[in-house]
Amino acid sequence: MVKWLVSLALVLAIALPGVARAEDGYDLWLRYRPVEGEWHKAYDPAVTALVVQGGGATIAAAAAELERGVKGMLGHRLPRTGSVAADGAVVIGTPATSPIVAALGLPLAGLGDEGYLIRSVTIDGRRATVIAANGEKGVLYGAFRLLKAMQLRERIDALDIADAPKLKLRVLNHWDNLDRHVERGYAGQSLWDWQKLPLHLDPRYTDYARANASIGINGVVLTNVNANAEILKPIWLEKVKALAGAFRPYGIRVYLTARFSAPIEIGGLKTADPLDPAVAAWWKAKADEIYRVIPDFGGFLVKANSEGQPGPNDYHRTHADGANMLADALAPHGGIVMWRAFVYAAENPEDRAKQAYTEFQPLDGRFRDNVMVQVKNGAIDFQPREPFHPLFGAMPRTPMMMEFQITKEYLGFATHLVYLGTMWEEALAADTFRPARGTTVADVLETAVDAAAPTGMAGVANIGSDRNWSGSQFDQANWYAYGRLAWNPQGGAEAIAREWIRMTWSGDPATVDAIAGMMMGSHEAVVDYMTPLGLAHLMATGHHYGPGPWVSDLARPEWNPAYYHKADAAGIGFDRSRTGSNAVAQYAPELADRFGSVKKVPEEFLLWFHHLPWDFRVRSSGRTLWDELVVRYDRGVAAVAAMQARWAALESRVDRRRWEEVRDFLAIQREEAQWWRDASIAYFQSVSKRPLPEGHAAPPMPLDHYKAIDNRYAPGN
Ligand code: BDP
């Protein structure tokens, strides 16, 4: 019987490849599943052979990807030919690697060294598609784009696509420790299997690089911002070199985090003072050593004088002193320093939201040309919703790099379905009013300080050793959306979601609409059930798993949720208006006025900027603030229930295994949304002493129950 069942399963698996193959998410958006009927007929004759004339490892990677994609989608091999011998050739190359490309005289001038052009052309009377670029990386990006056209069922017989990235550095930040623990990681262990490096290269490194290249990511910081100086020792650099070698064909450079006190810890010096010549000499020698091992090393990412990390302030030097010293060591090799502006200090009584601006803004113009200041999207810390960081637009002479968090530390870990594209779009589209109305955060990022200056975006990775890479199927969308927005910060979150869905789940229009609907509303839902109306940082201590709005006993004031919500018998919210911390003054005057006024502040930031009485009337609804909070908590929970219902209806529309995983995760999300709602209402009600509005249920348990929940082993901590 068992044997018989096994053979039946085998027969089914062969007969119904699309249905029976258990997908587990490993293939990401590069699934290359067979193309059906009419589309197959259209594509098949258009892609018959591959013409590659020379080129290096990156062109070889592009060719291999085209072969893989065509085999998967069209079912045929892509023979390589040296010339266009029949209709349907795909010609790839740069004018330097390919005489055929050179002879076409294509308009590549405006595409830089990473852009590409894809055109349907006629060569010697034969129909062909050319993927051309100034550099090999562009060819690789173009190859992925052609494959995407087929994945999205776009016509490929009259192509004329020109595209180039708007930012130069599109970087993933891995918060990975050398013992493979990932700080704030919810997708297993670090991908970097250090113990087996450099001699064993896990094939996943190549698949990781392919996925990154497919969305234009061109740099990865391998190590945690809470840095370990060990990584800079020769034995580790050999391992880094091996990873760099695996990534190089895909146009990806490696970077490392530099622990500021490394000269003391591994260099035997007594100080790490950036103005001490011996310290500068140590870093210079270290940089020279790194570049001997990894000639295209990208540079350093530094977290200094933040949350206990060492830095120049320890020696009464500025962040510019520290960054410039490292920049001077890297400059001869073309490396850059990404210096984080995420700084705040327990000793500093100033509103935490103000501290980064206070410290960095006066340093505008004082950094070397190869320094970028890397700024989180908001002024606190990757909260479900924050207004954009006031440093954007306020340092016009300093290259500014956006830092988004892809891993969902504060947004429900891997088990909550939260599409971050909309959240990032909101930040990128925010008007800074600097230098004038209409200059968005995206514009600030894209506008290089001068022609040679770097521009960039960083994303804290959500990638680990889990089969599905990101801990959940839907968190892959956040990796994807991050890459697409780093390529083009003006790219629309919904369009990005839709293309991801079609490549990852299904091309069926009704299915795409249903999943897009879930994703597009998902961020608002999590904001509602965790931190509505501009509340922030109410998560439990340390691991940040679940609610902890009552916490007020931690050593550092700004680690306590109570510091952020300031709820008392009279009301709730953090007064950052002129009469409060005056954080609004760090924005352009128009915004200071808007955010600072209770009448004009956007409702989603109401309690971020204002402390208001519980019976304050909320403009949009006319409800009291207390009632509105309760309504929003419930709205968030209801939105998760609606996602569950939508997903249930898709049961027959997507493959079983992934469908079940998402179903289960939504059930976890539902429970946890309820937990957030109940615990938050129980706590705030203990402060506000108000009855719940009619039709809204009391939390089932007393406050003490929620306070006693102990999740000390939550992941990522
Ligand atoms: C916080 C994280 C912490 C990071 C820190 C940072 O909780 O793990 O080290 O950000 O960005 O959100 O440096």
Side-chain angles (χ1 to χ4, degrees), residues 303-324:
K303 171 177 178 177
N305 293 118
S306 170
E307 300 185 330
Q309 295 299 307
N313 293 354
D314 302 348
Y315 307 94
H316 308 289
R317 313 296 186 197
T318 67
H319 283 275
D321 293 331
N324 291 344

mmCIF file with all atom_site columns, all heavy atoms in Angstrom, residues 303-324:
data_model
loop_
_atom_site.group_PDB
_atom_site.id
_atom_site.type_symbol
_atom_site.label_atom_id
_atom_site.label_alt_id
_atom_site.label_comp_id
_atom_site.label_asym_id
_atom_site.label_entity_id
_atom_site.label_seq_id
_atom_site.pdbx_PDB_ins_code
_atom_site.Cartn_x
_atom_site.Cartn_y
_atom_site.Cartn_z
_atom_site.occupancy
_atom_site.B_iso_or_equiv
_atom_site.pdbx_formal_charge
_atom_site.auth_seq_id
_atom_site.auth_comp_id
_atom_site.auth_asym_id
_atom_site.auth_atom_id
_atom_site.pdbx_PDB_model_num
ATOM 1   N N   . LYS A 1 303 ? 29.102 51.972 13.491 1.00 0.00 ? 303 LYS A N   1
ATOM 2   C CA  . LYS A 1 303 ? 28.180 52.439 14.533 1.00 0.00 ? 303 LYS A CA  1
ATOM 3   C C   . LYS A 1 303 ? 29.075 52.893 15.676 1.00 0.00 ? 303 LYS A C   1
ATOM 4   O O   . LYS A 1 303 ? 29.769 52.075 16.288 1.00 0.00 ? 303 LYS A O   1
ATOM 5   C CB  . LYS A 1 303 ? 27.274 51.300 14.976 1.00 0.00 ? 303 LYS A CB  1
ATOM 6   C CG  . LYS A 1 303 ? 26.423 51.606 16.214 1.00 0.00 ? 303 LYS A CG  1
ATOM 7   C CD  . LYS A 1 303 ? 25.491 50.425 16.532 1.00 0.00 ? 303 LYS A CD  1
ATOM 8   C CE  . LYS A 1 303 ? 24.655 50.679 17.781 1.00 0.00 ? 303 LYS A CE  1
ATOM 9   N NZ  . LYS A 1 303 ? 23.702 49.574 18.039 1.00 0.00 ? 303 LYS A NZ  1
ATOM 10  N N   . ALA A 1 304 ? 29.073 54.166 15.945 1.00 0.00 ? 304 ALA A N   1
ATOM 11  C CA  . ALA A 1 304 ? 29.987 54.692 16.959 1.00 0.00 ? 304 ALA A CA  1
ATOM 12  C C   . ALA A 1 304 ? 29.220 55.517 17.983 1.00 0.00 ? 304 ALA A C   1
ATOM 13  O O   . ALA A 1 304 ? 28.288 56.242 17.642 1.00 0.00 ? 304 ALA A O   1
ATOM 14  C CB  . ALA A 1 304 ? 31.068 55.552 16.301 1.00 0.00 ? 304 ALA A CB  1
ATOM 15  N N   . ASN A 1 305 ? 29.630 55.399 19.213 1.00 0.00 ? 305 ASN A N   1
ATOM 16  C CA  . ASN A 1 305 ? 29.016 56.154 20.304 1.00 0.00 ? 305 ASN A CA  1
ATOM 17  C C   . ASN A 1 305 ? 27.495 56.056 20.275 1.00 0.00 ? 305 ASN A C   1
ATOM 18  O O   . ASN A 1 305 ? 26.781 57.058 20.318 1.00 0.00 ? 305 ASN A O   1
ATOM 19  C CB  . ASN A 1 305 ? 29.467 57.618 20.273 1.00 0.00 ? 305 ASN A CB  1
ATOM 20  C CG  . ASN A 1 305 ? 30.950 57.726 20.579 1.00 0.00 ? 305 ASN A CG  1
ATOM 21  O OD1 . ASN A 1 305 ? 31.734 58.191 19.744 1.00 0.00 ? 305 ASN A OD1 1
ATOM 22  N ND2 . ASN A 1 305 ? 31.357 57.265 21.755 1.00 0.00 ? 305 ASN A ND2 1
ATOM 23  N N   . SER A 1 306 ? 27.050 54.833 20.185 1.00 0.00 ? 306 SER A N   1
ATOM 24  C CA  . SER A 1 306 ? 25.622 54.580 20.212 1.00 0.00 ? 306 SER A CA  1
ATOM 25  C C   . SER A 1 306 ? 25.409 53.258 20.923 1.00 0.00 ? 306 SER A C   1
ATOM 26  O O   . SER A 1 306 ? 26.084 52.276 20.601 1.00 0.00 ? 306 SER A O   1
ATOM 27  C CB  . SER A 1 306 ? 25.085 54.496 18.782 1.00 0.00 ? 306 SER A CB  1
ATOM 28  O OG  . SER A 1 306 ? 23.754 54.029 18.785 1.00 0.00 ? 306 SER A OG  1
ATOM 29  N N   . GLU A 1 307 ? 24.534 53.244 21.876 1.00 0.00 ? 307 GLU A N   1
ATOM 30  C CA  . GLU A 1 307 ? 24.188 52.016 22.590 1.00 0.00 ? 307 GLU A CA  1
ATOM 31  C C   . GLU A 1 307 ? 25.431 51.274 23.067 1.00 0.00 ? 307 GLU A C   1
ATOM 32  O O   . GLU A 1 307 ? 25.542 50.053 22.926 1.00 0.00 ? 307 GLU A O   1
ATOM 33  C CB  . GLU A 1 307 ? 23.313 51.114 21.700 1.00 0.00 ? 307 GLU A CB  1
ATOM 34  C CG  . GLU A 1 307 ? 22.020 51.800 21.287 1.00 0.00 ? 307 GLU A CG  1
ATOM 35  C CD  . GLU A 1 307 ? 21.067 50.911 20.495 1.00 0.00 ? 307 GLU A CD  1
ATOM 36  O OE1 . GLU A 1 307 ? 21.540 50.013 19.795 1.00 0.00 ? 307 GLU A OE1 1
ATOM 37  O OE2 . GLU A 1 307 ? 19.853 51.149 20.593 1.00 0.00 ? 307 GLU A OE2 1
ATOM 38  N N   . GLY A 1 308 ? 26.367 52.007 23.591 1.00 0.00 ? 308 GLY A N   1
ATOM 39  C CA  . GLY A 1 308 ? 27.527 51.374 24.201 1.00 0.00 ? 308 GLY A CA  1
ATOM 40  C C   . GLY A 1 308 ? 28.686 51.088 23.258 1.00 0.00 ? 308 GLY A C   1
ATOM 41  O O   . GLY A 1 308 ? 29.738 50.606 23.690 1.00 0.00 ? 308 GLY A O   1
ATOM 42  N N   . GLN A 1 309 ? 28.512 51.350 21.974 1.00 0.00 ? 309 GLN A N   1
ATOM 43  C CA  . GLN A 1 309 ? 29.628 51.118 21.050 1.00 0.00 ? 309 GLN A CA  1
ATOM 44  C C   . GLN A 1 309 ? 30.687 52.212 21.218 1.00 0.00 ? 309 GLN A C   1
ATOM 45  O O   . GLN A 1 309 ? 30.366 53.371 21.454 1.00 0.00 ? 309 GLN A O   1
ATOM 46  C CB  . GLN A 1 309 ? 29.129 51.115 19.598 1.00 0.00 ? 309 GLN A CB  1
ATOM 47  C CG  . GLN A 1 309 ? 28.192 49.966 19.277 1.00 0.00 ? 309 GLN A CG  1
ATOM 48  C CD  . GLN A 1 309 ? 28.843 48.609 19.461 1.00 0.00 ? 309 GLN A CD  1
ATOM 49  O OE1 . GLN A 1 309 ? 29.906 48.339 18.911 1.00 0.00 ? 309 GLN A OE1 1
ATOM 50  N NE2 . GLN A 1 309 ? 28.231 47.759 20.265 1.00 0.00 ? 309 GLN A NE2 1
ATOM 51  N N   . PRO A 1 310 ? 31.967 51.829 21.082 1.00 0.00 ? 310 PRO A N   1
ATOM 52  C CA  . PRO A 1 310 ? 33.029 52.831 21.199 1.00 0.00 ? 310 PRO A CA  1
ATOM 53  C C   . PRO A 1 310 ? 32.998 53.809 20.030 1.00 0.00 ? 310 PRO A C   1
ATOM 54  O O   . PRO A 1 310 ? 32.424 53.500 18.983 1.00 0.00 ? 310 PRO A O   1
ATOM 55  C CB  . PRO A 1 310 ? 34.304 51.986 21.155 1.00 0.00 ? 310 PRO A CB  1
ATOM 56  C CG  . PRO A 1 310 ? 33.913 50.736 20.424 1.00 0.00 ? 310 PRO A CG  1
ATOM 57  C CD  . PRO A 1 310 ? 32.476 50.485 20.786 1.00 0.00 ? 310 PRO A CD  1
ATOM 58  N N   . GLY A 1 311 ? 33.607 54.954 20.206 1.00 0.00 ? 311 GLY A N   1
ATOM 59  C CA  . GLY A 1 311 ? 33.617 55.935 19.120 1.00 0.00 ? 311 GLY A CA  1
ATOM 60  C C   . GLY A 1 311 ? 34.474 57.132 19.471 1.00 0.00 ? 311 GLY A C   1
ATOM 61  O O   . GLY A 1 311 ? 35.063 57.197 20.558 1.00 0.00 ? 311 GLY A O   1
ATOM 62  N N   . PRO A 1 312 ? 34.523 58.074 18.547 1.00 0.00 ? 312 PRO A N   1
ATOM 63  C CA  . PRO A 1 312 ? 35.397 59.240 18.739 1.00 0.00 ? 312 PRO A CA  1
ATOM 64  C C   . PRO A 1 312 ? 35.030 60.089 19.957 1.00 0.00 ? 312 PRO A C   1
ATOM 65  O O   . PRO A 1 312 ? 35.915 60.727 20.544 1.00 0.00 ? 312 PRO A O   1
ATOM 66  C CB  . PRO A 1 312 ? 35.232 60.023 17.438 1.00 0.00 ? 312 PRO A CB  1
ATOM 67  C CG  . PRO A 1 312 ? 33.970 59.522 16.818 1.00 0.00 ? 312 PRO A CG  1
ATOM 68  C CD  . PRO A 1 312 ? 33.829 58.104 17.251 1.00 0.00 ? 312 PRO A CD  1
ATOM 69  N N   . ASN A 1 313 ? 33.744 60.091 20.341 1.00 0.00 ? 313 ASN A N   1
ATOM 70  C CA  . ASN A 1 313 ? 33.369 60.890 21.512 1.00 0.00 ? 313 ASN A CA  1
ATOM 71  C C   . ASN A 1 313 ? 34.099 60.433 22.767 1.00 0.00 ? 313 ASN A C   1
ATOM 72  O O   . ASN A 1 313 ? 34.276 61.219 23.707 1.00 0.00 ? 313 ASN A O   1
ATOM 73  C CB  . ASN A 1 313 ? 31.860 60.811 21.773 1.00 0.00 ? 313 ASN A CB  1
ATOM 74  C CG  . ASN A 1 313 ? 31.042 61.475 20.678 1.00 0.00 ? 313 ASN A CG  1
ATOM 75  O OD1 . ASN A 1 313 ? 31.580 62.089 19.767 1.00 0.00 ? 313 ASN A OD1 1
ATOM 76  N ND2 . ASN A 1 313 ? 29.725 61.346 20.759 1.00 0.00 ? 313 ASN A ND2 1
ATOM 77  N N   . ASP A 1 314 ? 34.513 59.171 22.790 1.00 0.00 ? 314 ASP A N   1
ATOM 78  C CA  . ASP A 1 314 ? 35.248 58.666 23.952 1.00 0.00 ? 314 ASP A CA  1
ATOM 79  C C   . ASP A 1 314 ? 36.528 59.474 24.167 1.00 0.00 ? 314 ASP A C   1
ATOM 80  O O   . ASP A 1 314 ? 37.106 59.476 25.254 1.00 0.00 ? 314 ASP A O   1
ATOM 81  C CB  . ASP A 1 314 ? 35.633 57.185 23.762 1.00 0.00 ? 314 ASP A CB  1
ATOM 82  C CG  . ASP A 1 314 ? 34.411 56.304 23.524 1.00 0.00 ? 314 ASP A CG  1
ATOM 83  O OD1 . ASP A 1 314 ? 33.286 56.790 23.735 1.00 0.00 ? 314 ASP A OD1 1
ATOM 84  O OD2 . ASP A 1 314 ? 34.597 55.139 23.110 1.00 0.00 ? 314 ASP A OD2 1
ATOM 85  N N   . TYR A 1 315 ? 36.991 60.116 23.092 1.00 0.00 ? 315 TYR A N   1
ATOM 86  C CA  . TYR A 1 315 ? 38.234 60.911 23.167 1.00 0.00 ? 315 TYR A CA  1
ATOM 87  C C   . TYR A 1 315 ? 37.937 62.391 22.947 1.00 0.00 ? 315 TYR A C   1
ATOM 88  O O   . TYR A 1 315 ? 38.808 63.156 22.547 1.00 0.00 ? 315 TYR A O   1
ATOM 89  C CB  . TYR A 1 315 ? 39.232 60.387 22.114 1.00 0.00 ? 315 TYR A CB  1
ATOM 90  C CG  . TYR A 1 315 ? 39.445 58.895 22.253 1.00 0.00 ? 315 TYR A CG  1
ATOM 91  C CD1 . TYR A 1 315 ? 38.689 58.000 21.488 1.00 0.00 ? 315 TYR A CD1 1
ATOM 92  C CD2 . TYR A 1 315 ? 40.337 58.384 23.181 1.00 0.00 ? 315 TYR A CD2 1
ATOM 93  C CE1 . TYR A 1 315 ? 38.832 56.628 21.642 1.00 0.00 ? 315 TYR A CE1 1
ATOM 94  C CE2 . TYR A 1 315 ? 40.488 57.008 23.350 1.00 0.00 ? 315 TYR A CE2 1
ATOM 95  C CZ  . TYR A 1 315 ? 39.729 56.140 22.578 1.00 0.00 ? 315 TYR A CZ  1
ATOM 96  O OH  . TYR A 1 315 ? 39.867 54.782 22.745 1.00 0.00 ? 315 TYR A OH  1
ATOM 97  N N   . HIS A 1 316 ? 36.673 62.739 23.176 1.00 0.00 ? 316 HIS A N   1
ATOM 98  C CA  . HIS A 1 316 ? 36.226 64.123 22.976 1.00 0.00 ? 316 HIS A CA  1
ATOM 99  C C   . HIS A 1 316 ? 36.466 64.603 21.557 1.00 0.00 ? 316 HIS A C   1
ATOM 100 O O   . HIS A 1 316 ? 36.784 65.770 21.314 1.00 0.00 ? 316 HIS A O   1
ATOM 101 C CB  . HIS A 1 316 ? 36.882 65.056 24.007 1.00 0.00 ? 316 HIS A CB  1
ATOM 102 C CG  . HIS A 1 316 ? 36.688 64.562 25.408 1.00 0.00 ? 316 HIS A CG  1
ATOM 103 N ND1 . HIS A 1 316 ? 35.476 64.602 26.046 1.00 0.00 ? 316 HIS A ND1 1
ATOM 104 C CD2 . HIS A 1 316 ? 37.550 63.957 26.264 1.00 0.00 ? 316 HIS A CD2 1
ATOM 105 C CE1 . HIS A 1 316 ? 35.586 64.051 27.251 1.00 0.00 ? 316 HIS A CE1 1
ATOM 106 N NE2 . HIS A 1 316 ? 36.849 63.643 27.403 1.00 0.00 ? 316 HIS A NE2 1
ATOM 107 N N   . ARG A 1 317 ? 36.348 63.682 20.607 1.00 0.00 ? 317 ARG A N   1
ATOM 108 C CA  . ARG A 1 317 ? 36.432 64.058 19.191 1.00 0.00 ? 317 ARG A CA  1
ATOM 109 C C   . ARG A 1 317 ? 35.036 63.944 18.595 1.00 0.00 ? 317 ARG A C   1
ATOM 110 O O   . ARG A 1 317 ? 34.163 63.268 19.142 1.00 0.00 ? 317 ARG A O   1
ATOM 111 C CB  . ARG A 1 317 ? 37.372 63.127 18.417 1.00 0.00 ? 317 ARG A CB  1
ATOM 112 C CG  . ARG A 1 317 ? 38.699 62.864 19.076 1.00 0.00 ? 317 ARG A CG  1
ATOM 113 C CD  . ARG A 1 317 ? 39.543 64.110 19.204 1.00 0.00 ? 317 ARG A CD  1
ATOM 114 N NE  . ARG A 1 317 ? 40.873 63.773 19.723 1.00 0.00 ? 317 ARG A NE  1
ATOM 115 C CZ  . ARG A 1 317 ? 41.708 64.634 20.247 1.00 0.00 ? 317 ARG A CZ  1
ATOM 116 N NH1 . ARG A 1 317 ? 41.371 65.922 20.362 1.00 0.00 ? 317 ARG A NH1 1
ATOM 117 N NH2 . ARG A 1 317 ? 42.884 64.252 20.668 1.00 0.00 ? 317 ARG A NH2 1
ATOM 118 N N   . THR A 1 318 ? 34.850 64.553 17.444 1.00 0.00 ? 318 THR A N   1
ATOM 119 C CA  . THR A 1 318 ? 33.529 64.522 16.819 1.00 0.00 ? 318 THR A CA  1
ATOM 120 C C   . THR A 1 318 ? 33.375 63.290 15.932 1.00 0.00 ? 318 THR A C   1
ATOM 121 O O   . THR A 1 318 ? 34.351 62.615 15.591 1.00 0.00 ? 318 THR A O   1
ATOM 122 C CB  . THR A 1 318 ? 33.309 65.756 15.915 1.00 0.00 ? 318 THR A CB  1
ATOM 123 O OG1 . THR A 1 318 ? 34.206 65.656 14.797 1.00 0.00 ? 318 THR A OG1 1
ATOM 124 C CG2 . THR A 1 318 ? 33.562 67.053 16.671 1.00 0.00 ? 318 THR A CG2 1
ATOM 125 N N   . HIS A 1 319 ? 32.136 63.075 15.504 1.00 0.00 ? 319 HIS A N   1
ATOM 126 C CA  . HIS A 1 319 ? 31.885 61.999 14.545 1.00 0.00 ? 319 HIS A CA  1
ATOM 127 C C   . HIS A 1 319 ? 32.652 62.257 13.246 1.00 0.00 ? 319 HIS A C   1
ATOM 128 O O   . HIS A 1 319 ? 33.119 61.310 12.600 1.00 0.00 ? 319 HIS A O   1
ATOM 129 C CB  . HIS A 1 319 ? 30.381 61.872 14.279 1.00 0.00 ? 319 HIS A CB  1
ATOM 130 C CG  . HIS A 1 319 ? 29.656 61.166 15.396 1.00 0.00 ? 319 HIS A CG  1
ATOM 131 N ND1 . HIS A 1 319 ? 29.565 59.808 15.476 1.00 0.00 ? 319 HIS A ND1 1
ATOM 132 C CD2 . HIS A 1 319 ? 29.018 61.655 16.498 1.00 0.00 ? 319 HIS A CD2 1
ATOM 133 C CE1 . HIS A 1 319 ? 28.889 59.468 16.568 1.00 0.00 ? 319 HIS A CE1 1
ATOM 134 N NE2 . HIS A 1 319 ? 28.552 60.577 17.208 1.00 0.00 ? 319 HIS A NE2 1
ATOM 135 N N   . ALA A 1 320 ? 32.803 63.513 12.866 1.00 0.00 ? 320 ALA A N   1
ATOM 136 C CA  . ALA A 1 320 ? 33.558 63.817 11.640 1.00 0.00 ? 320 ALA A CA  1
ATOM 137 C C   . ALA A 1 320 ? 35.025 63.418 11.820 1.00 0.00 ? 320 ALA A C   1
ATOM 138 O O   . ALA A 1 320 ? 35.631 62.848 10.906 1.00 0.00 ? 320 ALA A O   1
ATOM 139 C CB  . ALA A 1 320 ? 33.428 65.297 11.297 1.00 0.00 ? 320 ALA A CB  1
ATOM 140 N N   . ASP A 1 321 ? 35.587 63.683 12.995 1.00 0.00 ? 321 ASP A N   1
ATOM 141 C CA  . ASP A 1 321 ? 36.986 63.279 13.233 1.00 0.00 ? 321 ASP A CA  1
ATOM 142 C C   . ASP A 1 321 ? 37.135 61.770 13.043 1.00 0.00 ? 321 ASP A C   1
ATOM 143 O O   . ASP A 1 321 ? 38.092 61.294 12.418 1.00 0.00 ? 321 ASP A O   1
ATOM 144 C CB  . ASP A 1 321 ? 37.416 63.631 14.665 1.00 0.00 ? 321 ASP A CB  1
ATOM 145 C CG  . ASP A 1 321 ? 37.476 65.137 14.908 1.00 0.00 ? 321 ASP A CG  1
ATOM 146 O OD1 . ASP A 1 321 ? 37.724 65.888 13.943 1.00 0.00 ? 321 ASP A OD1 1
ATOM 147 O OD2 . ASP A 1 321 ? 37.259 65.551 16.074 1.00 0.00 ? 321 ASP A OD2 1
ATOM 148 N N   . GLY A 1 322 ? 36.195 61.031 13.596 1.00 0.00 ? 322 GLY A N   1
ATOM 149 C CA  . GLY A 1 322 ? 36.277 59.574 13.518 1.00 0.00 ? 322 GLY A CA  1
ATOM 150 C C   . GLY A 1 322 ? 36.103 59.074 12.093 1.00 0.00 ? 322 GLY A C   1
ATOM 151 O O   . GLY A 1 322 ? 36.888 58.256 11.602 1.00 0.00 ? 322 GLY A O   1
ATOM 152 N N   . ALA A 1 323 ? 35.062 59.576 11.439 1.00 0.00 ? 323 ALA A N   1
ATOM 153 C CA  . ALA A 1 323 ? 34.768 59.112 10.081 1.00 0.00 ? 323 ALA A CA  1
ATOM 154 C C   . ALA A 1 323 ? 35.905 59.479 9.128  1.00 0.00 ? 323 ALA A C   1
ATOM 155 O O   . ALA A 1 323 ? 36.315 58.674 8.281  1.00 0.00 ? 323 ALA A O   1
ATOM 156 C CB  . ALA A 1 323 ? 33.452 59.728 9.602  1.00 0.00 ? 323 ALA A CB  1
ATOM 157 N N   . ASN A 1 324 ? 36.425 60.689 9.272  1.00 0.00 ? 324 ASN A N   1
ATOM 158 C CA  . ASN A 1 324 ? 37.462 61.145 8.332  1.00 0.00 ? 324 ASN A CA  1
ATOM 159 C C   . ASN A 1 324 ? 38.749 60.344 8.470  1.00 0.00 ? 324 ASN A C   1
ATOM 160 O O   . ASN A 1 324 ? 39.430 60.057 7.480  1.00 0.00 ? 324 ASN A O   1
ATOM 161 C CB  . ASN A 1 324 ? 37.739 62.633 8.547  1.00 0.00 ? 324 ASN A CB  1
ATOM 162 C CG  . ASN A 1 324 ? 36.554 63.488 8.109  1.00 0.00 ? 324 ASN A CG  1
ATOM 163 O OD1 . ASN A 1 324 ? 35.666 63.007 7.384  1.00 0.00 ? 324 ASN A OD1 1
ATOM 164 N ND2 . ASN A 1 324 ? 36.520 64.738 8.547  1.00 0.00 ? 324 ASN A ND2 1
#
